[in-house]
Amino acid sequence: MLDEDQGCAVLTRVFNARGYQVERDVPFEEGTVAFTADGWDAASRVGFEYLTHAAGDHRDLTPDEIETLAARMEQGELFLFIIDERQVDTADDLEWAAQRFLDEVQRRRDAAAQASS
């Protein structure tokens, strides 16, 4: 299992390699959701949260907030990759999951752009 620093380092590398300019530990407060995002590109409205027990992330980002974010992602307002440390065993697993997430972000944005043209 990867700790907070290891997981966030993998995610930062993956997101940056895909062209996102993520900043680390960004206060995120919109509507009823308030937490510190592990990585956030404000211009693209894309980021990540690597949930670990050691960092207290499960208290910082509640199930209700995760549900609200999921609804906003469905609407295409923002895209936040939220993954629990227990969902991945290795850095390769985390990288694979992040790549699939970013593929989906690109697919949705391409579809939205095509629909509006």
Side-chain angles (χ1 to χ4, degrees):
M1 195 176 315
L2 303 172
D3 67 21
E4 179 88 4
D5 288 337
Q6 293 167 325
C8 288
V10 168
L11 293 170
T12 298
R13 180 176 47 78
V14 169
F15 278 64
N16 286 346
R18 294 287 288 262
Y20 296 101
Q21 303 301 313
V22 294
E23 293 183 38
R24 291 289 313 277
D25 301 321
V26 176
F28 181 97
E29 189 170 340
E30 293 183 10
T32 61
V33 178
F35 72 105
T36 300
D38 288 328
W40 183 245
D41 179 331
S44 297
R45 299 194 49 80
V46 172
F48 59 84
E49 177 63 20
Y50 184 63
L51 299 171
T52 66
H53 287 282
D57 294 325
H58 294 88
R59 291 184 310 273
D60 191 30
L61 187 58
T62 68
D64 286 344
E65 289 174 316
I66 291 172
E67 188 175 308
T68 298
L69 289 169
R72 294 187 65 200
M73 284 189 271
E74 280 300 313
Q75 296 171 0
E77 295 176 20
L78 56 83
F79 297 96
L80 189 68
F81 180 57
I82 302 171
I83 189 162
D84 191 290
E85 66 186 337
R86 295 173 293 188
Q87 293 176 283
V88 292
D89 292 321
T90 67
D92 288 343
D93 292 342
L94 182 58
E95 181 173 341
W96 182 88
Q99 294 286 4
R100 300 302 70 80
F101 172 82
L102 293 173
D103 289 346
E104 181 63 14
V105 169
Q106 189 62 52
R107 185 193 68 74
R108 288 184 185 196
R109 288 194 163 163
D110 289 348
Q114 196 170 39
S116 67
S117 61

PDB file of all heavy atoms in Angstrom, residues 53-75:
ATOM      1  N   HIS A  53      -5.955   6.869   5.526  1.00  0.00           N
ATOM      2  CA  HIS A  53      -6.352   7.007   6.927  1.00  0.00           C
ATOM      3  C   HIS A  53      -5.336   7.842   7.702  1.00  0.00           C
ATOM      4  O   HIS A  53      -5.713   8.640   8.555  1.00  0.00           O
ATOM      5  CB  HIS A  53      -6.530   5.627   7.571  1.00  0.00           C
ATOM      6  CG  HIS A  53      -7.769   4.953   7.079  1.00  0.00           C
ATOM      7  ND1 HIS A  53      -9.022   5.274   7.530  1.00  0.00           N
ATOM      8  CD2 HIS A  53      -7.952   3.992   6.149  1.00  0.00           C
ATOM      9  CE1 HIS A  53      -9.917   4.539   6.919  1.00  0.00           C
ATOM     10  NE2 HIS A  53      -9.293   3.743   6.065  1.00  0.00           N
ATOM     11  N   ALA A  54      -4.062   7.687   7.386  1.00  0.00           N
ATOM     12  CA  ALA A  54      -3.015   8.418   8.110  1.00  0.00           C
ATOM     13  C   ALA A  54      -3.185   9.933   7.965  1.00  0.00           C
ATOM     14  O   ALA A  54      -2.916  10.677   8.902  1.00  0.00           O
ATOM     15  CB  ALA A  54      -1.633   7.987   7.608  1.00  0.00           C
ATOM     16  N   ALA A  55      -3.644  10.367   6.793  1.00  0.00           N
ATOM     17  CA  ALA A  55      -3.816  11.805   6.556  1.00  0.00           C
ATOM     18  C   ALA A  55      -5.186  12.309   7.021  1.00  0.00           C
ATOM     19  O   ALA A  55      -5.463  13.508   6.931  1.00  0.00           O
ATOM     20  CB  ALA A  55      -3.621  12.116   5.078  1.00  0.00           C
ATOM     21  N   GLY A  56      -6.044  11.406   7.484  1.00  0.00           N
ATOM     22  CA  GLY A  56      -7.367  11.815   7.956  1.00  0.00           C
ATOM     23  C   GLY A  56      -8.309  12.234   6.840  1.00  0.00           C
ATOM     24  O   GLY A  56      -9.273  12.965   7.075  1.00  0.00           O
ATOM     25  N   ASP A  57      -8.049  11.759   5.631  1.00  0.00           N
ATOM     26  CA  ASP A  57      -8.849  12.177   4.472  1.00  0.00           C
ATOM     27  C   ASP A  57     -10.313  11.761   4.573  1.00  0.00           C
ATOM     28  O   ASP A  57     -11.179  12.431   4.026  1.00  0.00           O
ATOM     29  CB  ASP A  57      -8.251  11.616   3.181  1.00  0.00           C
ATOM     30  CG  ASP A  57      -6.891  12.199   2.877  1.00  0.00           C
ATOM     31  OD1 ASP A  57      -6.673  13.386   3.176  1.00  0.00           O
ATOM     32  OD2 ASP A  57      -6.040  11.467   2.341  1.00  0.00           O
ATOM     33  N   HIS A  58     -10.578  10.661   5.257  1.00  0.00           N
ATOM     34  CA  HIS A  58     -11.959  10.191   5.357  1.00  0.00           C
ATOM     35  C   HIS A  58     -12.811  11.120   6.227  1.00  0.00           C
ATOM     36  O   HIS A  58     -14.025  11.127   6.107  1.00  0.00           O
ATOM     37  CB  HIS A  58     -11.988   8.757   5.883  1.00  0.00           C
ATOM     38  CG  HIS A  58     -11.381   7.786   4.921  1.00  0.00           C
ATOM     39  ND1 HIS A  58     -10.028   7.508   4.915  1.00  0.00           N
ATOM     40  CD2 HIS A  58     -11.919   7.062   3.921  1.00  0.00           C
ATOM     41  CE1 HIS A  58      -9.773   6.641   3.961  1.00  0.00           C
ATOM     42  NE2 HIS A  58     -10.904   6.357   3.338  1.00  0.00           N
ATOM     43  N   ARG A  59     -12.148  11.890   7.077  1.00  0.00           N
ATOM     44  CA  ARG A  59     -12.868  12.899   7.865  1.00  0.00           C
ATOM     45  C   ARG A  59     -12.974  14.215   7.100  1.00  0.00           C
ATOM     46  O   ARG A  59     -13.919  14.965   7.262  1.00  0.00           O
ATOM     47  CB  ARG A  59     -12.154  13.139   9.207  1.00  0.00           C
ATOM     48  CG  ARG A  59     -12.229  11.970  10.160  1.00  0.00           C
ATOM     49  CD  ARG A  59     -11.594  12.305  11.510  1.00  0.00           C
ATOM     50  NE  ARG A  59     -10.265  12.888  11.424  1.00  0.00           N
ATOM     51  CZ  ARG A  59      -9.122  12.199  11.366  1.00  0.00           C
ATOM     52  NH1 ARG A  59      -9.138  10.891  11.383  1.00  0.00           N
ATOM     53  NH2 ARG A  59      -7.961  12.832  11.298  1.00  0.00           N
ATOM     54  N   ASP A  60     -11.972  14.491   6.268  1.00  0.00           N
ATOM     55  CA  ASP A  60     -11.919  15.747   5.520  1.00  0.00           C
ATOM     56  C   ASP A  60     -12.924  15.763   4.370  1.00  0.00           C
ATOM     57  O   ASP A  60     -13.507  16.797   4.069  1.00  0.00           O
ATOM     58  CB  ASP A  60     -10.497  15.964   4.989  1.00  0.00           C
ATOM     59  CG  ASP A  60     -10.276  17.359   4.430  1.00  0.00           C
ATOM     60  OD1 ASP A  60     -10.929  18.307   4.904  1.00  0.00           O
ATOM     61  OD2 ASP A  60      -9.436  17.498   3.522  1.00  0.00           O
ATOM     62  N   LEU A  61     -13.130  14.625   3.730  1.00  0.00           N
ATOM     63  CA  LEU A  61     -14.036  14.514   2.593  1.00  0.00           C
ATOM     64  C   LEU A  61     -15.086  13.469   2.947  1.00  0.00           C
ATOM     65  O   LEU A  61     -14.811  12.276   2.960  1.00  0.00           O
ATOM     66  CB  LEU A  61     -13.266  14.118   1.331  1.00  0.00           C
ATOM     67  CG  LEU A  61     -14.021  14.123   0.016  1.00  0.00           C
ATOM     68  CD1 LEU A  61     -14.609  15.502  -0.271  1.00  0.00           C
ATOM     69  CD2 LEU A  61     -13.100  13.721  -1.120  1.00  0.00           C
ATOM     70  N   THR A  62     -16.289  13.919   3.248  1.00  0.00           N
ATOM     71  CA  THR A  62     -17.345  13.037   3.742  1.00  0.00           C
ATOM     72  C   THR A  62     -18.042  12.299   2.596  1.00  0.00           C
ATOM     73  O   THR A  62     -17.968  12.726   1.431  1.00  0.00           O
ATOM     74  CB  THR A  62     -18.402  13.840   4.514  1.00  0.00           C
ATOM     75  OG1 THR A  62     -19.103  14.688   3.582  1.00  0.00           O
ATOM     76  CG2 THR A  62     -17.778  14.677   5.624  1.00  0.00           C
ATOM     77  N   PRO A  63     -18.750  11.220   2.910  1.00  0.00           N
ATOM     78  CA  PRO A  63     -19.531  10.526   1.877  1.00  0.00           C
ATOM     79  C   PRO A  63     -20.538  11.448   1.174  1.00  0.00           C
ATOM     80  O   PRO A  63     -20.731  11.329  -0.044  1.00  0.00           O
ATOM     81  CB  PRO A  63     -20.240   9.412   2.656  1.00  0.00           C
ATOM     82  CG  PRO A  63     -19.305   9.123   3.805  1.00  0.00           C
ATOM     83  CD  PRO A  63     -18.749  10.479   4.175  1.00  0.00           C
ATOM     84  N   ASP A  64     -21.168  12.358   1.903  1.00  0.00           N
ATOM     85  CA  ASP A  64     -22.104  13.299   1.267  1.00  0.00           C
ATOM     86  C   ASP A  64     -21.378  14.209   0.279  1.00  0.00           C
ATOM     87  O   ASP A  64     -21.894  14.507  -0.800  1.00  0.00           O
ATOM     88  CB  ASP A  64     -22.815  14.157   2.322  1.00  0.00           C
ATOM     89  CG  ASP A  64     -23.871  13.380   3.085  1.00  0.00           C
ATOM     90  OD1 ASP A  64     -24.281  12.292   2.614  1.00  0.00           O
ATOM     91  OD2 ASP A  64     -24.287  13.857   4.156  1.00  0.00           O
ATOM     92  N   GLU A  65     -20.184  14.659   0.641  1.00  0.00           N
ATOM     93  CA  GLU A  65     -19.408  15.514  -0.261  1.00  0.00           C
ATOM     94  C   GLU A  65     -18.974  14.732  -1.500  1.00  0.00           C
ATOM     95  O   GLU A  65     -19.015  15.259  -2.621  1.00  0.00           O
ATOM     96  CB  GLU A  65     -18.195  16.093   0.458  1.00  0.00           C
ATOM     97  CG  GLU A  65     -18.568  17.141   1.490  1.00  0.00           C
ATOM     98  CD  GLU A  65     -17.383  17.605   2.310  1.00  0.00           C
ATOM     99  OE1 GLU A  65     -16.567  16.754   2.742  1.00  0.00           O
ATOM    100  OE2 GLU A  65     -17.269  18.828   2.521  1.00  0.00           O
ATOM    101  N   ILE A  66     -18.588  13.472  -1.308  1.00  0.00           N
ATOM    102  CA  ILE A  66     -18.199  12.633  -2.446  1.00  0.00           C
ATOM    103  C   ILE A  66     -19.384  12.448  -3.383  1.00  0.00           C
ATOM    104  O   ILE A  66     -19.240  12.531  -4.608  1.00  0.00           O
ATOM    105  CB  ILE A  66     -17.632  11.277  -1.961  1.00  0.00           C
ATOM    106  CG1 ILE A  66     -16.279  11.504  -1.269  1.00  0.00           C
ATOM    107  CG2 ILE A  66     -17.487  10.299  -3.124  1.00  0.00           C
ATOM    108  CD1 ILE A  66     -15.705  10.284  -0.583  1.00  0.00           C
ATOM    109  N   GLU A  67     -20.564  12.256  -2.826  1.00  0.00           N
ATOM    110  CA  GLU A  67     -21.777  12.111  -3.639  1.00  0.00           C
ATOM    111  C   GLU A  67     -22.062  13.394  -4.422  1.00  0.00           C
ATOM    112  O   GLU A  67     -22.407  13.351  -5.607  1.00  0.00           O
ATOM    113  CB  GLU A  67     -22.963  11.775  -2.734  1.00  0.00           C
ATOM    114  CG  GLU A  67     -24.215  11.421  -3.476  1.00  0.00           C
ATOM    115  CD  GLU A  67     -25.316  10.980  -2.529  1.00  0.00           C
ATOM    116  OE1 GLU A  67     -25.075  10.089  -1.704  1.00  0.00           O
ATOM    117  OE2 GLU A  67     -26.422  11.558  -2.632  1.00  0.00           O
ATOM    118  N   THR A  68     -21.910  14.530  -3.780  1.00  0.00           N
ATOM    119  CA  THR A  68     -22.114  15.820  -4.450  1.00  0.00           C
ATOM    120  C   THR A  68     -21.111  15.992  -5.588  1.00  0.00           C
ATOM    121  O   THR A  68     -21.472  16.421  -6.692  1.00  0.00           O
ATOM    122  CB  THR A  68     -21.987  16.981  -3.442  1.00  0.00           C
ATOM    123  OG1 THR A  68     -23.006  16.832  -2.448  1.00  0.00           O
ATOM    124  CG2 THR A  68     -22.116  18.330  -4.121  1.00  0.00           C
ATOM    125  N   LEU A  69     -19.850  15.656  -5.330  1.00  0.00           N
ATOM    126  CA  LEU A  69     -18.827  15.763  -6.378  1.00  0.00           C
ATOM    127  C   LEU A  69     -19.131  14.821  -7.536  1.00  0.00           C
ATOM    128  O   LEU A  69     -18.952  15.186  -8.701  1.00  0.00           O
ATOM    129  CB  LEU A  69     -17.442  15.472  -5.794  1.00  0.00           C
ATOM    130  CG  LEU A  69     -16.879  16.546  -4.871  1.00  0.00           C
ATOM    131  CD1 LEU A  69     -15.648  16.028  -4.145  1.00  0.00           C
ATOM    132  CD2 LEU A  69     -16.568  17.823  -5.633  1.00  0.00           C
ATOM    133  N   ALA A  70     -19.595  13.622  -7.229  1.00  0.00           N
ATOM    134  CA  ALA A  70     -19.938  12.655  -8.281  1.00  0.00           C
ATOM    135  C   ALA A  70     -21.040  13.208  -9.180  1.00  0.00           C
ATOM    136  O   ALA A  70     -20.976  13.077 -10.418  1.00  0.00           O
ATOM    137  CB  ALA A  70     -20.353  11.331  -7.665  1.00  0.00           C
ATOM    138  N   ALA A  71     -22.031  13.840  -8.588  1.00  0.00           N
ATOM    139  CA  ALA A  71     -23.118  14.430  -9.374  1.00  0.00           C
ATOM    140  C   ALA A  71     -22.582  15.551 -10.262  1.00  0.00           C
ATOM    141  O   ALA A  71     -22.977  15.676 -11.429  1.00  0.00           O
ATOM    142  CB  ALA A  71     -24.210  14.956  -8.449  1.00  0.00           C
ATOM    143  N   ARG A  72     -21.685  16.343  -9.747  1.00  0.00           N
ATOM    144  CA  ARG A  72     -21.106  17.440 -10.528  1.00  0.00           C
ATOM    145  C   ARG A  72     -20.227  16.909 -11.650  1.00  0.00           C
ATOM    146  O   ARG A  72     -20.145  17.507 -12.727  1.00  0.00           O
ATOM    147  CB  ARG A  72     -20.340  18.385  -9.615  1.00  0.00           C
ATOM    148  CG  ARG A  72     -21.329  19.088  -8.647  1.00  0.00           C
ATOM    149  CD  ARG A  72     -20.725  20.137  -7.825  1.00  0.00           C
ATOM    150  NE  ARG A  72     -20.273  21.227  -8.698  1.00  0.00           N
ATOM    151  CZ  ARG A  72     -19.359  22.116  -8.316  1.00  0.00           C
ATOM    152  NH1 ARG A  72     -18.828  22.070  -7.118  1.00  0.00           N
ATOM    153  NH2 ARG A  72     -18.983  23.075  -9.136  1.00  0.00           N
ATOM    154  N   MET A  73     -19.567  15.766 -11.408  1.00  0.00           N
ATOM    155  CA  MET A  73     -18.775  15.146 -12.467  1.00  0.00           C
ATOM    156  C   MET A  73     -19.686  14.629 -13.571  1.00  0.00           C
ATOM    157  O   MET A  73     -19.369  14.768 -14.753  1.00  0.00           O
ATOM    158  CB  MET A  73     -17.905  14.026 -11.904  1.00  0.00           C
ATOM    159  CG  MET A  73     -16.686  14.540 -11.153  1.00  0.00           C
ATOM    160  SD  MET A  73     -15.531  13.244 -10.704  1.00  0.00           S
ATOM    161  CE  MET A  73     -16.171  12.758  -9.105  1.00  0.00           C
ATOM    162  N   GLU A  74     -20.810  14.048 -13.197  1.00  0.00           N
ATOM    163  CA  GLU A  74     -21.765  13.565 -14.194  1.00  0.00           C
ATOM    164  C   GLU A  74     -22.251  14.706 -15.080  1.00  0.00           C
ATOM    165  O   GLU A  74     -22.531  14.514 -16.251  1.00  0.00           O
ATOM    166  CB  GLU A  74     -22.954  12.881 -13.521  1.00  0.00           C
ATOM    167  CG  GLU A  74     -22.672  11.465 -13.080  1.00  0.00           C
ATOM    168  CD  GLU A  74     -22.276  10.550 -14.235  1.00  0.00           C
ATOM    169  OE1 GLU A  74     -22.942  10.566 -15.286  1.00  0.00           O
ATOM    170  OE2 GLU A  74     -21.271   9.825 -14.090  1.00  0.00           O
ATOM    171  N   GLN A  75     -22.348  15.894 -14.520  1.00  0.00           N
ATOM    172  CA  GLN A  75     -22.782  17.067 -15.270  1.00  0.00           C
ATOM    173  C   GLN A  75     -21.632  17.714 -16.043  1.00  0.00           C
ATOM    174  O   GLN A  75     -21.837  18.670 -16.785  1.00  0.00           O
ATOM    175  CB  GLN A  75     -23.415  18.089 -14.322  1.00  0.00           C
ATOM    176  CG  GLN A  75     -24.679  17.590 -13.662  1.00  0.00           C
ATOM    177  CD  GLN A  75     -25.167  18.517 -12.562  1.00  0.00           C
ATOM    178  OE1 GLN A  75     -24.570  19.545 -12.268  1.00  0.00           O
ATOM    179  NE2 GLN A  75     -26.265  18.138 -11.938  1.00  0.00           N
TER     180      GLN A  75
END
